[in-house]
């Protein structure tokens, strides 16, 4: 099968106080196109750094990162990346923040943005299209950032803890929304989360990273069918996966 | 709260009135001769007497200021953007921009006259010279001292460097841009007055030297008064614009 | 009118009664009659020579001293006429200071603009009067005006033009002692101000110079004959000036423009030579200047 | 990368060399008279000839610059902090600060002399007057255009207003403070040169007027050259300090 | 029993695009001193706004907020408040960020900061004391902010989603740390979280808020003994609490 992301022996260090800080060590990750892959691992192990590298924001690393068949050193990949911080532009209101990717690619005029209104209200932001980021709650900011990411170009989505600030209900709704659109468009999704159940529920594959320096220590396939139903969480398979992953994380 | 704001707004007129009254009384009490420091009343009288003449001169100077300020604004913005985009340009041009500020104007005055004649051009150029530097320093500093996070976000969105500039850096540079503009605003009128050195027939600067050389101190002060009023006006227009442009709770 | 020749003259200072002849020629249409369209420009002080030499302006107002300096540096400018026949500048002090001759300069504070020439001039005068030049005291006051300076008490005497600052003092009822420079030492009876042009103008535009000077001469003659009307003309052109000062100054100058000369504007070689020598001897110019090239009377008395 | 930086560093010397050579050749080819624009070689010669004299003058001016700049710095910092803390003070003082910049220096210079005597004091004061404004505008703008979040954090910690000022506002104001400082640095030397009009015995301004009055254009340019070098030096010292103080990836 | 926080009929609105936005409506909350109280509720319902009001950052509200017996309108309360954003000072390194509260209260010199080293390494930050915030991962920043909050003065702690960016293991460790120090010092803790299990595990009482405008719609006592053991999560009481809260949140 075609690989959307192919990472081979990725090593990455930072310099911290003039000392080398190894963050990623021989990371290998093969993501088939159209798969939903979660990455879990302890805080500070290098998950965000991995995403930053895939997105082309970290230039100095060893090993190779191939996205859609092209080495990212050669050409900046088309990737829809939601960073861990929401990074809304404080001088733009919600709508203008959301449409930023369209504006940049020059498609704002040609794209029918009618569907946006629907998504905005699905996300519970209908009263806030004119509001500025500092007038939003933490969870609302995150939802705005997710919508914006959805409008970015690219067949690959990198989502770095996209639901961290959401309550259980909103989170469920947005998980379902995400699965729905993912099944419709079949983008490749790489998904960082701290919620093991969320990882299992959403993914085809879960990668587990070790504490810093981050290595891939586990990689399991989740064998539930699609579309998924909520009640799989009560199956023993689900619970087995969860136990397995928790033990891999030493929880 | 309301009350506080009111006394705040009043504090300036009050302090100003106190100053004027103190000045007037001091001149009376000390019998300071007019040619040293004229009383405010004498200045007012001179202002009224010379009003038509002064207005003619004001029109000339104001034109120089407006043309010069706008040219400087455009020039600064273009240059700043270019320098931030093209590093080599910055490295080459920056020192010359500083140099342009360090050459005393009274050395440049005759050269400007020789190069650009006696029309309005050399005067406008001097206003440009005075104004473009603070604007450029402020803007360049603003454009280059932003956090890299938003830059990165736009890189991820495959924004071109100039999109990054326009969509992220420029909005973030606004406070510093405006502080440069304000400094320039404060200097522009004086710049125009000075510029009239390069050979003029009319203008507040001409009125100024003439009053000075004929020992008409009150008229001289009247002229300075107009310079001050024009400068303050420009400054407050800029401050007002700033408040419109920057959506942010003011801390003052 | 439309095809009148455009001519620019740059002044040395704020327009004043030294310049009345120019304004009269302008207002009375003398320039127009010669087919000249004249603009009078007030530039930064001390820049007229350079501007005239560069050709940006055809004429200018200078001083014998500055023309000599300019020529010493190879700047090809020429004096066309002495606006005032004798040096009307001198040393003024408030009457109560009792400074009536260079002898009294001893231990008194002179306020000047900081030129080494001032010091040399003062020393020369003191020596000539048998005073001790070592007791000369100078404070540099730059561009400050005489009255402000004197009022501080920091300065006892200063170098002024009688026809301007001297008149102003009289109008204010301030009593001054005045030592006229030209009277106390002949060498300092040089021409100030003068009308200047460049060598190139004379070489290439002789006719224009002729026309210009003809009108100027008429202007100054008018001033000599009708000081009050001339003053009005100046005031009309330069309303910023102090009315009384201009009128009184104009009356004073009416006799001074031509004075004892054969005709208005005449310049004598000995006057040029004398002061040039003095500048040379005191080391202000590196080489002697050929004064015959520094001035010409050719365009006068037309 | 390395290579790019090198050409970057070289671009200025190269452009400078090109300029000088072009200038020299132009003067030769056009036979421009010395009194209009002297050739660089003539300027160099004048510089060498007058070097001892020039150095004496430089020392005087430099002293004025240093004293004035430091005083302005202290004054600006104190005033800015006070104005940001005490709103009424801001409302009262701000207009007068602008006014102080709009009164032409050549009106103030003689007055300063009358008020402050003929020593170094009035000159230093003029340098102060020239420098304090850009520093203050930059600093005040920097202190007041910060996001309120960190302020709030410190409020929660029961920080006093002056602690908030020092621990949050001041560090955040650094980029703007430095842009003000840079503008002031560029002006300070010229300010000192101008100040010498108010009557000085020595200084680059005196040398300047003397060369000008005696039409020694090459010497005049040599003097201007020193003014430029001093200004650039000061400017780059400030830029260097800035890099030390502000821990941030530079975008230029 | 003594009330540490006593909120009566608190109403709070913002103006958004010139319209009134009701955020809190008649919120009543009584927190006994020394209790651990969690607040859960949908994203955007006003939880953070409630905390900001208690901390004295929002001045315009109706109703009354009494902290330790004093109306906060009269005197700013002593409160250790961890805001939802981590708000580290970017120009200060980790250590200097942490000790900021001591520095402000002038106690930096008198306080023995030796214990800090221990806490820093308990929080897994031992290699990062000299690092600057932009050199930390999201979870590390949150831990730094929590440590800093711990050093703030006040017998009341407000924690706004303090563990949102932490992985399961780190989260557990820090939960335990928090319970331990809480039991030792018995500060009153108000705790916002989106994790229902976390709320039950940690708290004496859980308040549930409705969607905006936020009202308290449920308030239950959690009757587990102290110190708590991890295995209570498997008890049926725990599961009942969880069901109950989920139904209150309509999950
Ligand atoms: N610019 C940088 N300079 C130095 N060190 C850095 C830099 N960026 C990240 N690091 C270090 O790299 C390590 C990994 O950071 P990263 O953000 O990838 O962690 P993470 O797995 O995303 O953690 P979290 O779950 O807490 O977000 C951390 O120890 C962090 O301190
Ligand atoms: N300064 C403000 N101006 C206008 N509206 C505001 C402002 N601050 C908050 N709001 C609005 O108040 C509501 C409540 O916000 P708050 O931050 O309290 O939510 P929250 O319950 O903490 O949500 P989350 O779980 O997402 O953090 C939101 O709808 C938000 O848009
Ligand atoms: Mg991360
Ligand atoms: Mg919140």
């Amino acid at each position: 099968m075609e690989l959307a992301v192919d990472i081979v022996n990725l090593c990455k260090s930072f310099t911290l106080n003039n000392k080398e800080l190894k963050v990623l060590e021989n990371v290998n990750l093969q993501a088939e196109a159209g798969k939903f892959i979660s990455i879990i691992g302890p805080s500070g192990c290098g998950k965000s750094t991995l995403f930053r590298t895939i997105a082309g924001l970290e230039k100095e690393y060893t090993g190779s990162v191939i996205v859609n068949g092209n080495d990212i050193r050669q050409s900046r990949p088309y990737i829809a990346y939601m960073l861990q911080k929401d990074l809304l532009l404080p001088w733009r209101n919600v709508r203008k923040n959301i449409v930023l990717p369209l504006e940049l690619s020059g498609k704002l005029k040609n794209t029918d943005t009618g569907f946006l209104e629907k998504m905005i209200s699905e996300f519970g932001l209908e009263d806030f299209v004119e509001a500025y980021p500092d007038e939003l709650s933490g969870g609302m900011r995150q939802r705005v950032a997710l919508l914006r990411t959805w409008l970015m170009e690219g067949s690959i989505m990198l989502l770095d803890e996209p639901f961290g600030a959401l309550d259980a209900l909103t989170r469920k709704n947005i998980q379902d929304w995400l699965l729905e659109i993912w099944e419709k468009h079949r983008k490749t999704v790489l998904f960082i989360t701290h919620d093991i159940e969320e990882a299992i529920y959403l993914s085809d594959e879960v990668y587990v990273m070790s504490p810093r320096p981050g290595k891939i220590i586990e990689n399991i396939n989740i064998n539930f069918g699609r579309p998924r139903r909520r009640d799989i969480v009560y199956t023993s398979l689900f619970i087995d996966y969860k136990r397995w992953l928790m033990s891999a994380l030493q929880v | 709260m309301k009350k506080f704001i009111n006394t705040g707004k009043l504090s300036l007129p009050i302090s100003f009135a106190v100053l004027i009254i103190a000045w007037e009384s001091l001149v009376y009490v000390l019998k300071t001769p007019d040619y040293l420091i004229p009383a405010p009343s004498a200045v007012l009288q001179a202002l009224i007497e010379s009003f038509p003449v002064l207005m003619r001169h004001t029109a000339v100077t104001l034109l120089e200021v407006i043309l010069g300020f706008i040219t400087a604004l455009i020039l600064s913005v273009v240059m700043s953007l270019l320098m931030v985009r093209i590093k080599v340009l910055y490295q080459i041009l920056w020192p010359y921009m500083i140099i342009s500020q360090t050459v005393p104007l009274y050395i440049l005055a005759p050269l400007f006259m020789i190069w650009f004649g006696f029309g309005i051009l050399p005067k406008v150029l001097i206003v440009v010279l005075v104004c473009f530097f603070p604007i450029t320093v402020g803007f360049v500093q603003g454009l280059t001292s932003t956090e890299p996070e938003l830059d990165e976000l736009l890189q991820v969105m495959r924004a071109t460097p100039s999109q990054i500039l326009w969509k992220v850096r420029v909005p973030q540079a606004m406070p510093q841009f405006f502080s440069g503009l304000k400094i320039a605003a404060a200097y522009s009128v004086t710049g125009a007055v000075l510029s009239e050195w390069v050979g003029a027939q009319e203008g507040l600067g001409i009125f100024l030297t003439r009053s000075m050389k004929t020992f008409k101190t009150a008229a001289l002060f009247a002229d300075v008064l107009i310079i001050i009023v024009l400068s303050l006006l420009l400054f407050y227009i800029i401050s007002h614009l700033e408040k419109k442009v920057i959506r942010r709770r003011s801390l003052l | 009118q439309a095809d009148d020749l455009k001519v620019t003259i740059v002044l040395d200072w704020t327009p004043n009664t030294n310049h009345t002849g120019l304004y009269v020629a302008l207002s009375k249409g003398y320039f127009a009659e010669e087919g000249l369209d004249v603009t009078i420009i007030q530039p930064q002080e001390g820049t007229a020579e350079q501007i005239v030499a560069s050709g940006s302006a055809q004429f200018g107002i200078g001083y014998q001293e500055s023309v000599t300096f300019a020529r010493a540096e190879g700047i090809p400018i020429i004096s066309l006429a002495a606006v005032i026949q004798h040096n009307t500048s001198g040393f003024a002090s408030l009457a109560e200071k009792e400074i009536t001759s260079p002898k009294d300069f001893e231990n008194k504070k002179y306020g000047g603009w900081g030129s080494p020439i001032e010091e040399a001039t003062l020393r020369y005068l003191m020596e000539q009067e048998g005073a001790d030049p070592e007791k000369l005291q100078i404070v540099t006051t730059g561009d400050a005006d005489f009255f402000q300076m004197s009022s501080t008490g920091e300065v006892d005497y200063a170098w002024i033009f009688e026809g301007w600052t001297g008149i102003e003092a009289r109008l204010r009822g301030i009593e001054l002692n005045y030592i006229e420079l030209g009277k106390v030492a002949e060498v300092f009876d040089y021409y100030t101000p003068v009308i200047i042009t460049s060598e190139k103008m004379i070489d290439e535009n002789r006719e224009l110079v002729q026309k210009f000077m003809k009108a100027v001469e008429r202007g100054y003659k008018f001033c000599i004959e009708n000081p009050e009307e001339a003053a009005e003309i100046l005031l009309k052109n330069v309303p910023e000036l102090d009315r009384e000062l201009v009128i009184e100054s104009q009356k004073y100058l009416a006799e001074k423009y031509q004075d004892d000369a054969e005709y208005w504007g005449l310049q004598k070689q000995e006057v040029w030579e004398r002061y040039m020598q003095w500048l040379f001897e005191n080391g202000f110019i590196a080489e002697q200047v050929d004064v015959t090239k520094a001035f010409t009377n050719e365009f006068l008395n037309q």
Side-chain angles (χ1 to χ4, degrees), chain A, chain B, chain C:
Chain A
M1 234 185 115
E2 198 194 334
L3 287 183
V5 180
D6 184 9
I7 299 173
V8 179
N9 284 336
L10 173 64
C11 296
K12 163 81 196 156
S13 325
F14 289 106
T15 322
L16 191 75
N17 307 317
N18 305 318
K19 277 189 304 223
E20 192 190 8
L21 181 78
K22 275 198 186 163
V23 172
L24 295 175
E25 201 168 70
N26 287 325
V27 170
N28 288 287
L29 189 153
Q30 276 71 37
E32 283 174 25
K35 293 276 168 178
F36 197 120
I37 295 170
S38 291
I39 295 165
I40 57 178
S43 167
C45 73
K47 302 180 295 299
S48 301
T49 306
L50 177 63
F51 273 22
R52 287 175 54 85
T53 311
I54 298 173
L57 293 177
E58 301 287 349
K59 311 277 183 201
E60 277 162 44
Y61 58 87
T62 63
S64 82
V65 180
I66 315 282
V67 171
N68 286 330
N70 300 313
D71 192 319
I72 60 163
R73 289 196 204 268
Q74 259 79 56
S75 62
R76 179 180 280 281
Y78 282 87
I79 278 179
Y81 178 16
M82 175 168 167
L83 288 89
Q84 191 167 8
K85 277 194 185 180
D86 50 52
L87 294 184
L88 302 183
L89 277 50
W91 55 89
R92 287 180 165 236
N93 65 22
V94 167
R95 174 180 281 113
K96 289 204 168 155
N97 261 294
I98 292 176
V99 298
L100 181 63
L102 296 180
E103 203 180 304
L104 291 175
S105 59
K107 294 189 184 138
L108 186 54
K109 293 217 182 76
N110 313 330
T111 309
D112 170 29
T113 51
F115 75 102
L116 262 186
E117 307 304 322
K118 197 176 137 274
M119 294 214 317
I120 286 173
S121 70
E122 252 180 62
F123 274 48
L125 296 167
E126 63 277 16
D127 296 336
F128 296 89
V129 275
E130 305 293 331
Y132 285 85
D134 61 1
E135 296 169 331
L136 300 181
S137 80
M140 291 160 85
R141 292 172 63 102
Q142 210 166 35
R143 282 174 270 163
V144 173
L146 181 60
L147 267 185
R148 179 178 64 188
T149 309
W150 174 243
L151 292 181
M152 293 187 200
E153 285 177 273
S155 58
I156 295 167
M157 284 184 88
L158 305 180
L159 303 177
D160 194 346
E161 296 190 42
F163 306 146
L166 298 182
D167 63 289
L169 181 62
T170 314
R171 190 167 189 143
K172 271 193 184 162
N173 290 340
I174 296 196
Q175 282 172 351
D176 291 341
W177 170 86
L178 182 64
L179 278 185
E180 196 185 307
I181 59 151
W182 172 72
E183 272 164 30
K184 222 182 325 187
H185 300 269
R186 280 289 167 172
K187 294 191 177 187
T188 312
V189 176
L190 295 187
F191 189 91
I192 295 177
T193 180
H194 287 312
D195 184 330
I196 297 171
E197 293 191 17
E198 183 175 73
I200 302 167
Y201 175 63
L202 294 174
S203 316
D204 297 316
E205 254 180 279
V206 179
Y207 281 79
V208 182
M209 284 178 76
S210 70
R212 188 184 52 252
K215 290 177 288 284
I216 304 292
I217 49 172
E218 198 69 68
N219 170 12
I220 60 173
N221 285 306
I222 308 292
N223 295 314
F224 289 113
R226 302 274 183 188
R228 285 190 184 161
R229 290 178 29 206
R230 274 281 160 200
D231 53 18
I232 58 166
V233 300
Y234 302 116
T235 63
S236 64
L237 182 58
F238 192 96
I239 294 165
D240 284 346
Y241 283 139
K242 186 169 167 187
R243 285 237 179 84
W244 183 255
L245 289 173
M246 282 175 72
S247 77
L249 285 169
Q250 300 179 300
V251 184
Chain B
M1 201 58 196
K2 192 107 194 169
K3 212 180 145 214
F4 179 68
I5 290 174
N6 280 342
T7 60
K9 290 241 152 121
L10 281 180
S11 56
L12 178 64
I14 291 172
S15 83
F16 189 70
V18 167
L19 202 85
I20 294 291
I21 293 169
W23 178 358
E24 183 84 36
S25 337
L26 261 177
V27 170
Y28 260 92
V29 173
L30 299 181
K31 297 199 198 313
T32 320
D34 223 32
Y35 58 86
L36 267 189
I37 294 284
S41 55
V43 174
L44 192 70
Q45 202 188 323
L47 184 66
I48 293 167
E49 272 171 19
S50 311
F51 198 73
V53 181
L54 267 170
M55 281 304 105
R56 218 186 56 223
H57 289 296
T58 304
V60 174
T61 303
L62 199 58
L63 183 66
E64 294 159 7
V65 169
I66 291 171
L67 289 179
F69 193 81
I70 290 174
T71 314
L73 182 60
I74 295 169
L75 196 76
S76 302
V77 168
V78 172
M79 293 273 283
S80 304
L81 292 174
L82 280 179
M83 288 195 301
V84 172
R85 286 279 279 109
I86 305 161
K87 202 174 161 158
V88 170
L89 217 63
Y90 169 81
Q91 285 166 325
I92 293 180
L93 289 183
W94 201 237
Y96 295 105
M97 295 180 64
I98 305 166
I99 290 173
S100 77
Q101 298 304 300
T102 60
V103 180
L105 269 185
Y106 60 94
I107 298 300
L108 285 181
L111 293 178
F112 266 48
M113 209 165 9
I114 290 165
W115 295 334
F116 307 113
F118 304 101
I120 196 172
L121 182 63
K123 287 123 201 168
V124 171
L125 286 179
I126 285 179
V127 177
V128 171
L129 197 68
V130 166
C131 293
F132 95 94
F133 186 68
I135 307 180
T136 309
V137 170
F139 200 29
V140 167
Q141 187 97 352
L143 288 172
T144 55
S145 64
T146 57
E147 289 291 344
E149 293 174 338
L150 291 180
D151 269 43
E152 289 183 347
L153 175 73
L154 267 81
Q155 275 174 37
V156 166
M157 297 186 194
R158 306 181 61 89
T160 61
S162 60
Q163 282 180 321
I164 294 182
L165 198 57
W166 282 103
K167 310 263 175 195
V168 171
R169 298 267 195 101
V170 169
Q172 282 186 294
M174 281 301 119
Q176 303 211 37
F177 175 62
F178 273 99
S179 81
L181 269 190
K182 283 182 192 168
I183 297 173
Y187 290 160
S188 58
V189 182
T190 330
V193 168
L194 278 179
S195 80
E196 283 151 9
W197 275 354
V198 306
Q201 283 146 297
E202 285 185 303
L204 290 173
I206 291 294
F207 188 96
L208 202 70
T209 32
R210 289 183 183 172
S211 331
M212 191 157 149
K213 295 288 152 75
T214 50
F215 313 103
K216 287 163 80 172
T217 320
L220 183 147
F221 271 66
D223 186 297
V224 170
L225 193 68
I226 292 183
I227 295 174
I228 289 174
V229 169
L230 289 183
S231 307
L232 284 178
L233 210 69
L234 199 59
F235 193 93
Y236 281 112
I237 290 175
I238 304 283
S239 296
H240 186 72
L241 272 181
E242 182 186 11
K243 278 188 201 125
K244 297 245 145 171
V245 169
I246 304 182
R247 196 197 81 90
R248 206 196 286 265
R249 287 169 249 185
S250 170
L251 298 172
L252 260 178
Chain C
Q1 280 270 302
D3 28 73
D4 277 357
L5 270 173
K6 293 233 180 288
V7 172
T8 305
I9 176 161
V10 285
L11 304 180
D12 57 326
W13 212 60
T14 294
N16 60 69
T17 43
N18 287 348
H19 309 134
T20 316
L22 302 174
Y23 285 98
V24 168
L26 188 69
S27 285
K28 288 261 164 196
Y30 301 161
F31 285 132
E33 282 173 34
E34 302 294 331
L36 302 177
D37 176 8
V38 172
T39 313
I40 302 173
I41 297 283
Q42 174 187 342
Q44 181 192 337
E45 274 171 47
T47 58
E49 290 80 4
Q50 222 177 330
I51 291 158
V52 169
S54 76
S56 292
Q58 289 77 12
F59 302 95
I61 303 291
Y63 317 101
Q64 180 181 331
E65 169 193 345
S66 66
V67 171
T68 310
F69 276 129
R71 293 204 63 93
E73 292 297 324
I75 303 179
I77 54 170
I78 290 189
S79 165
L80 296 172
V83 174
I84 300 171
Q85 194 50 229
H86 292 283
N87 188 345
T88 57
S89 71
F91 299 97
S93 52
L94 300 179
E96 68 246 30
K97 309 266 181 178
E98 296 182 339
I99 302 174
T100 52
S101 107
K103 243 199 197 97
D104 305 322
F105 290 169
E106 280 187 1
N107 297 322
K108 291 275 179 356
K109 279 185 235 135
Y110 168 75
W113 52 90
S115 148
I117 293 188
E118 292 172 282
E119 189 180 339
T121 306
L122 288 165
R123 281 174 163 272
Y124 181 94
L125 291 177
M126 289 172 81
E127 271 167 20
Q128 182 182 281
E129 298 279 324
D132 180 3
E134 296 312 313
K135 289 184 178 159
L136 174 66
Q137 288 183 25
I138 295 185
V139 280
T140 320
T141 56
D143 224 10
D145 91 44
F146 172 76
F147 299 102
Q148 295 182 347
M149 221 150 69
S150 307
S151 68
T152 65
E154 289 284 327
V155 164
D156 296 314
Y157 63 109
W159 197 337
I160 65 160
F161 272 99
E162 192 188 359
W164 196 253
T165 312
I167 301 282
E168 177 70 14
R170 209 193 297 155
L171 290 173
R172 289 185 187 184
I174 297 172
E175 260 188 78
L176 295 184
N177 281 322
Y178 183 66
I179 303 166
E180 198 174 332
L181 191 56
K183 295 265 166 65
V184 286
E186 200 175 30
V187 59
F188 298 130
D189 188 13
Y190 49 77
Y191 299 120
T192 172
V194 297
I195 294 171
I196 59 172
T197 191
S198 63
E199 283 180 2
K200 195 161 167 242
M201 280 291 292
I202 292 178
D203 292 344
E204 295 172 9
N205 264 317
R206 181 170 291 271
E207 204 182 327
L208 174 68
V209 178
Q210 208 132 29
K211 286 178 175 172
F212 179 80
M213 286 311 292
K214 191 171 170 199
V216 169
E217 188 171 347
R218 281 177 73 190
Y220 278 100
K221 278 186 177 153
F222 183 89
C223 296
I224 294 166
E225 282 150 24
N226 313 292
E228 289 186 42
E229 199 184 335
E232 291 299 339
I233 290 172
L234 177 62
L235 282 167
K236 207 179 92 232
N237 280 281
V238 193
E240 298 83 5
L241 300 182
D242 188 71
R243 181 172 192 82
E244 273 183 286
L245 174 59
V246 166
I247 293 173
E248 289 309 310
S249 171
Q250 202 63 59
K251 284 190 200 155
Y252 164 87
L253 274 185
E255 304 159 10
K256 302 279 179 184
Y257 287 128
Q258 186 173 341
D259 209 318
D260 53 3
E262 202 177 313
Y263 49 87
W264 174 82
L266 178 72
Q267 304 168 79
K268 299 189 188 110
Q269 187 176 341
E270 57 181 289
V271 174
W272 279 89
E273 191 68 43
R274 208 160 54 200
Y275 191 55
M276 187 276 293
Q277 280 300 340
W278 185 86
L279 286 175
F280 177 67
E281 279 158 19
N282 284 277
F284 294 114
I285 48 178
E287 294 159 48
Q288 298 213 0
V289 167
D290 180 359
V291 298
T292 57
K293 295 206 172 117
F295 77 96
T296 173
N297 290 322
E298 183 191 340
F299 303 97
L300 297 172
N301 202 19
Q302 297 186 26

